Amino acid sequence: MLLDLIYLVAITAEAMTGALSAGRRRMDLFGVIIIACVTALGGGSLRDIVLGHYPLGWVAHPEYLAYTIGAAIAATVLASRMHRLRRAFLWLDALGLVAFSLIGCAIARDTGHAPTIIVISGMLTGAFGGVLRDVLCNEIPLVFQKELYAIVSMLTGIAYLALLQLGVSENRCVLACLGGGFALRMLAIRYEWEMPKFVYQHP
């Protein structure tokens, strides 16, 4: 129930950030809605396709699609005020990343996949909606060049499996990973923690 609630909040926030990215590219309303849906639901859809987990999440629950479309339209109406909510969006994005990652891990685990696949499924769910958004907006994905993001997703998945292996109950495991992953993401933003960059300038 907790993850379900956080998931709804997260897809709403992610859809709004996707809509704003589309607005910066001067897309029409159809483009705004598509980018918003890809941002909010793309990672989970990619995970389900890779795992052969059907129907896709938003197909089984059409209300998710309604939430994202509503959020995209709301973002276009409230765009002039959105900059005031930047800090709140950072918090929601961090929480959404961790929640998406845990949901992806839980789905892969429930379908009997190996630990490596479980962690990768969490990363796909958590991080790749943003990758798809940036690719469609003709930008280098932020995941590949900014503060720790996909790494937070990966570490959250590893912690989730480790705690379960130690016999921690599912609910306590989820709460611990939500708190730990959220804290790590916020610290990465605060102190600009990044992965080492590869720079090659010669032709």
Side-chain angles (χ1 to χ4, degrees), residues 45-54 113 117 120-121 124:
S45 297
L46 180 59
R47 173 208 65 223
D48 287 342
I49 292 170
V50 170
L51 296 181
H53 182 259
Y54 297 103
H113 289 284
I117 304 303
I120 292 174
S121 296
L124 287 176

Side-chain angles (χ1 to χ4, degrees), residues 80-193:
S80 61
R81 304 176 185 176
M82 297 295 279
H83 67 280
R84 302 176 187 174
L85 302 174
R86 183 176 179 276
R87 184 178 296 274
F89 270 105
L90 285 176
W91 294 343
L92 290 174
D93 180 72
L95 193 61
L97 168 67
V98 180
F100 285 164
S101 300
L102 289 171
I103 290 169
C105 288
I107 288 174
R109 178 172 172 266
D110 288 344
T111 50
H113 289 284
T116 301
I117 304 303
I118 293 173
V119 173
I120 292 174
S121 296
M123 291 178 64
L124 287 176
T125 311
F128 272 76
V131 172
L132 295 172
R133 174 202 64 211
D134 292 340
V135 168
L136 290 175
C137 290
N138 197 30
E139 298 174 354
I140 298 174
L142 292 176
V143 172
F144 301 150
Q145 55 178 326
K146 284 288 187 180
E147 305 92 358
L148 301 183
Y149 198 86
I151 295 299
V152 172
S153 177
M154 182 185 72
L155 293 176
T156 298
I158 292 173
Y160 172 78
L161 290 179
L163 290 174
L164 289 175
Q165 188 67 29
L166 292 172
V168 178
S169 69
E170 180 85 18
N171 287 339
R172 290 183 178 179
C173 179
V174 167
L175 287 173
C177 291
L178 273 174
F182 177 78
L184 179 59
R185 174 60 183 153
M186 297 310 295
L187 286 171
I189 294 172
R190 172 66 178 82
Y191 294 105
E192 299 182 351
W193 292 342

